[in-house]
Amino acid sequence: MTLASDDFSGVKLALFLGRDRLVILRDGAPDIPYPGYWDLPGGRREGRKSPEACALRET
């Protein structure tokens, strides 16, 4: 699926290896949302990158 260039602001990925899932522990910086919580890999879009390019960079 390809989205129009302005239809998203970031990505999140659910990555599975068999029955296992990849998760990350967010750092404790007080200026980010949910510091110190477990999360899925992902992040904000940079420039006019595609969803696929954003997902690859964040992973």
Side-chain angles (χ1 to χ4, degrees):
M1 175 170 117
T2 301
L3 299 175
S5 61
D6 293 323
D7 288 347
F8 79 103
S9 60
V11 297
K12 286 286 185 184
L13 300 167
L15 299 173
F16 296 88
L17 298 169
R19 296 180 67 181
D20 296 327
R21 290 161 302 285
L22 175 67
V23 294
I24 59 169
L25 180 60
R26 297 175 65 84
D27 65 40
D31 60 332
I32 65 168
Y34 306 104
Y37 279 72
W38 289 100
D39 198 0
L40 296 171
R44 291 187 182 199
R45 181 183 194 189
E46 292 180 359
R48 301 200 45 87
K49 299 284 186 185
S50 69
E52 295 85 358
C54 187
L56 286 173
R57 178 179 45 82
E58 293 297 337
T59 305

